Amino acid sequence: MAGPKTPPYYSPTYKKNGANYPSSPHSIRINVYTLAIAFTVLCSIAYLIGRESISTSPVSSVATSVPCIPLKITSSTTGVSENSSSGTQVDEEGEGAVSDDVKVYSSCDFKYSEYTPCEDPQRSLKFKRDRLIYRERHCPDKTQLLKCRVPAPYGYKKPFKWPKSRDLAWYANVPHKELTVEKAVQNWIRKEGDKFRFPGGGTMFPNGADAYVDDIDKLINLKDGSIRTAIDTGCGVASWGAYLLSRDILAMSFAPRDTHEAQVQFALERGVPALIGVLASKRLPYPSRAFDMAHCSRCLIPWDLYDGAYLMEVDRVLRPGGYWILSGPPIRWRKYFKGWERTRDDLNGEQTRIEEVAKKLCWKKFVEKDDIAIWQKPYNHFQCKEQKKKLMCPAQDYDKAWYTELETCITPLPEVSSDEDVAGGQLEKWPKRLNAIPPRISSGTVKGVTAGSFEKDSQLWQKRVSYYKSIDDKLNQPGRYRNLLDMNANLGGFAASWVDDPVWVMNIVPAEAEVNTLGVIYERGLIGTYQSWCEAMSTYPRTYDLLHADSIFTMYKERCDMEDILLEMDRILRPEGSIIIREDVDILVEVKRIVDGLNWESLIVDHEDGPMEREKLLFAVKTYWTAPANTTTSPRI
């Protein structure tokens, strides 16, 4: 059934108060012959008139500049009403018309509604169960890639706005009841009618995550800005990370895709940073010296096995002076051993072995009180003479962490001249940390980046994000967006420019980037991960509200297909989510053709410095549509 002919309630360059814009792609179908004539004439006019005679409004200049580009603007989708994601469903019959020469991407089967290509449970069965290798990333080859759009489940609705989303999610968005049964006594999650409620409970915090975080705050200071970044291993539904956010601490939470369905999906639905991941045979996808605090609350990771390899990996990603927090087995085993159904000797032996690995790492036992034990990593390795001789890893790139094998050795800290120095450089406290020159830059260890170029980059992104907001007023509305993804983050300038908004940004440093800058991003107090965009991201479908892609297609031009990258963007973006793509105009025209086939609303606009710049921007919105009403069974792929 075809939808209405009117524009949707939200277009790629929505402005309030009836601002005057070029006609919507809904209502324009440019004749190719007319366009050919207009192309020649208008290009000449644009160059003659120049910058001065063009309107100061960034979007109004599109009418002058964009017709100089051989675009095919099509009526690519059907409009939806203001309340579309609150109940109205649009299935494949509601697609709008596209030009004959545009490839149209149809919907995948509903069984792929939660498809995570590199964590496919069926594919994982082909790999070793030893050390949980089967739960690591195992991606399909090019012949197995889906060339269709992953559907949202019937009844999908916009997530609740933050901070309400911390406690509530729509059942229709993540239709899984398993955790409400399996974790009922632990108060992780409850189903209440058409909603899920997250009471903040956890296996080791029966009084709630907020009270648990308060207990930690009594042992180490969480309020003075010295702790900004954290990592939560085996995060469950990420309640620990959710309640740290109110203390200005960003936690990177991860858990495998396992028998507890949709843990990471629930976390992201709540508006909390999370990734699918597991400690197994590969390094975690983060640089060395990234986190101020690491945490495990009954995360079931065998810290004492494999010669302490997993604790050695925590040590690699933990900042000098950082803390490792462990609650649950074997901590306080004398009280809990019967409930854990293990013997005293077994639990005592496990804790003893953990303590021995911690000593090898030069960690000191900071405190153990009630159910919580905390160790602290040294500020340098000045005094670790025995470890330097026997256990230190050989010289290598310790930030390299994309399909990099775990090693049973200690990552050496940068050399210091005295026992008082902080290896790698002292960080400022948050929020001063955000704009201070990161130690990796001031020490000259990031190729081609200086203190001056860092400051210029920060100013540039302030200007660019301000420009984005001038084009699309939805970007100015608190709560409209929550989960943001920067696909090529460089120094983290895009994320830093959003710091005063109620959002968080997952900063991606592509594995193919010429310079590895993810360590700089963490030194700024931001979070992120490595990723190759020739592969799928370790996240569920529909987990981000806004994707930002700066020169991604230029970077991957000779590496993988543009089509596959755009299909992955469509997979991880929420219905009615937004995309901003920056590219050379020739590449952007190719992107636009594929985007039309994906049924995105899109519009190309000028660079922030005006129409004479070859780089242009594409603003797009993923239209709202779902699987048909008869597909109500939870998918299992």
Side-chain angles (χ1 to χ4, degrees), residues 116-134:
T116 53
C118 297
E119 284 83 13
D120 183 349
Q122 297 303 313
R123 186 180 301 108
S124 72
L125 297 176
K126 301 176 183 178
F127 297 88
K128 295 179 181 178
R129 300 185 74 84
D130 180 51
R131 287 186 64 162
L132 298 183
I133 289 172
Y134 75 108

Side-chain angles (χ1 to χ4, degrees), residues 69 71 583-590 604 613-616:
I69 306 161
L71 299 181
E583 279 294 352
D584 179 88
V585 64
D586 289 342
I587 293 178
L588 213 54
V589 170
E590 296 179 49
I604 294 177
E613 298 289 335
R614 280 197 59 84
E615 184 176 73
K616 304 293 180 185

Side-chain angles (χ1 to χ4, degrees), residues 372-447:
I372 299 171
I374 303 177
W375 287 261
Q376 186 174 25
K377 179 176 176 175
Y379 286 98
N380 56 62
H381 283 158
F382 198 78
Q383 299 292 337
C384 298
K385 296 178 181 178
E386 183 179 340
Q387 286 83 345
K388 284 182 179 179
K389 291 179 182 178
K390 299 179 181 179
L391 299 173
M392 292 295 174
C393 298
Q396 58 182 282
D397 182 356
Y398 306 113
D399 287 352
K400 186 179 179 182
W402 185 247
Y403 293 117
T404 306
E405 295 292 326
L406 274 184
E407 295 180 278
T408 309
C409 56
I410 301 171
T411 303
L413 290 171
E415 291 292 332
V416 295
S417 56
S418 77
D419 195 24
E420 305 299 318
D421 294 338
V422 177
Q426 179 69 54
L427 290 178
E428 297 283 356
K429 293 182 177 181
W430 182 263
K432 192 174 181 181
R433 185 184 297 188
L434 180 69
N435 295 308
I437 305 300
R440 276 175 164 88
I441 292 177
S442 59
S443 64
T445 58
V446 183
K447 182 181 177 181

Side-chain angles (χ1 to χ4, degrees), residues 331-623:
I331 302 305
R332 214 179 183 189
W333 58 266
R334 289 176 178 83
K335 177 181 178 181
Y336 295 117
F337 76 96
K338 291 182 179 178
W340 291 337
E341 297 181 351
R342 293 173 61 183
T343 67
R344 288 173 174 265
D345 289 345
D346 182 24
L347 288 160
N348 182 46
E350 181 182 349
Q351 181 157 355
T352 299
R353 290 188 296 273
I354 289 173
E355 302 273 9
E356 288 172 352
V357 176
K359 286 179 182 178
K360 288 181 182 179
L361 294 168
C362 285
W363 292 3
K364 72 174 182 180
K365 187 71 167 290
F366 190 79
V367 66
E368 183 173 333
K369 184 178 181 182
D370 298 329
D371 299 342
I372 299 171
I374 303 177
W375 287 261
Q376 186 174 25
K377 179 176 176 175
Y379 286 98
N380 56 62
H381 283 158
F382 198 78
Q383 299 292 337
C384 298
K385 296 178 181 178
E386 183 179 340
Q387 286 83 345
K388 284 182 179 179
K389 291 179 182 178
K390 299 179 181 179
L391 299 173
M392 292 295 174
C393 298
Q396 58 182 282
D397 182 356
Y398 306 113
D399 287 352
K400 186 179 179 182
W402 185 247
Y403 293 117
T404 306
E405 295 292 326
L406 274 184
E407 295 180 278
T408 309
C409 56
I410 301 171
T411 303
L413 290 171
E415 291 292 332
V416 295
S417 56
S418 77
D419 195 24
E420 305 299 318
D421 294 338
V422 177
Q426 179 69 54
L427 290 178
E428 297 283 356
K429 293 182 177 181
W430 182 263
K432 192 174 181 181
R433 185 184 297 188
L434 180 69
N435 295 308
I437 305 300
R440 276 175 164 88
I441 292 177
S442 59
S443 64
T445 58
V446 183
K447 182 181 177 181
V449 183
T450 64
S453 62
F454 170 79
E455 290 177 341
K456 286 182 180 177
D457 184 80
S458 295
Q459 294 167 6
L460 174 65
W461 281 104
Q462 289 284 349
K463 173 184 175 182
R464 285 179 169 180
V465 171
S466 177
Y467 179 68
Y468 295 166
K469 291 180 178 181
S470 74
I471 292 175
D472 182 1
D473 195 64
K474 288 282 185 180
L475 300 175
N476 294 303
Q477 297 179 13
R480 177 62 179 82
Y481 302 95
R482 174 62 184 171
N483 304 352
L484 276 59
L485 177 71
D486 191 359
M487 298 175 68
N488 185 16
N490 192 23
L491 301 176
F494 173 81
S497 299
W498 288 88
V499 71
D500 293 326
D501 293 78
V503 304
W504 62 270
V505 181
M506 182 70 79
N507 292 281
I508 302 294
V509 172
E512 297 84 357
E514 291 183 8
V515 181
N516 184 351
T517 55
L518 194 54
V520 168
I521 288 169
Y522 274 95
E523 287 182 341
R524 299 189 72 176
L526 305 170
I527 59 172
T529 187
Y530 298 112
Q531 171 68 35
S532 170
W533 291 112
C534 288
E535 298 180 358
M537 190 176 174
S538 290
T539 192
Y540 283 87
R542 303 174 300 281
T543 50
Y544 287 93
D545 303 303
L546 186 149
L547 307 181
H548 180 256
D550 179 15
S551 304
I552 279 293
F553 300 100
T554 296
M555 178 182 292
Y556 285 95
K557 192 171 184 179
E558 304 300 327
R559 293 186 169 101
C560 47
D561 293 341
M562 178 185 295
E563 171 189 66
D564 294 327
I565 297 175
L566 286 164
L567 280 166
E568 174 63 3
M569 293 170 69
D570 186 79
R571 184 186 76 87
I572 66 178
L573 188 66
R574 296 191 195 280
E576 297 175 351
S578 294
I579 304 102
I580 303 172
I581 300 174
R582 305 181 65 93
E583 279 294 352
D584 179 88
V585 64
D586 289 342
I587 293 178
L588 213 54
V589 170
E590 296 179 49
V591 170
K592 179 73 168 66
R593 183 175 297 276
I594 297 173
V595 160
D596 286 346
L598 290 169
N599 245 10
W600 295 358
E601 286 289 341
S602 65
L603 184 68
I604 294 177
V605 303
D606 282 329
H607 189 276
E608 61 269 9
D609 290 335
M612 299 306 174
E613 298 289 335
R614 280 197 59 84
E615 184 176 73
K616 304 293 180 185
L617 288 82
L618 183 143
F619 280 72
V621 177
K622 178 179 175 179
T623 50

Side-chain angles (χ1 to χ4, degrees), residues 26-74:
H26 276 293
S27 58
I28 299 179
R29 184 183 294 272
I30 295 180
N31 182 286
V32 67
Y33 302 108
T34 304
L35 182 61
I37 298 170
F39 172 76
T40 304
V41 176
L42 292 177
C43 278
S44 301
I45 294 172
Y47 275 93
L48 288 172
I49 293 175
R51 199 181 290 256
E52 288 74 20
S53 63
I54 296 172
S55 168
T56 56
S57 169
V59 178
S60 64
S61 67
V62 177
T64 303
S65 61
V66 171
C68 298
I69 306 161
L71 299 181
K72 184 176 290 296
I73 304 176
T74 62

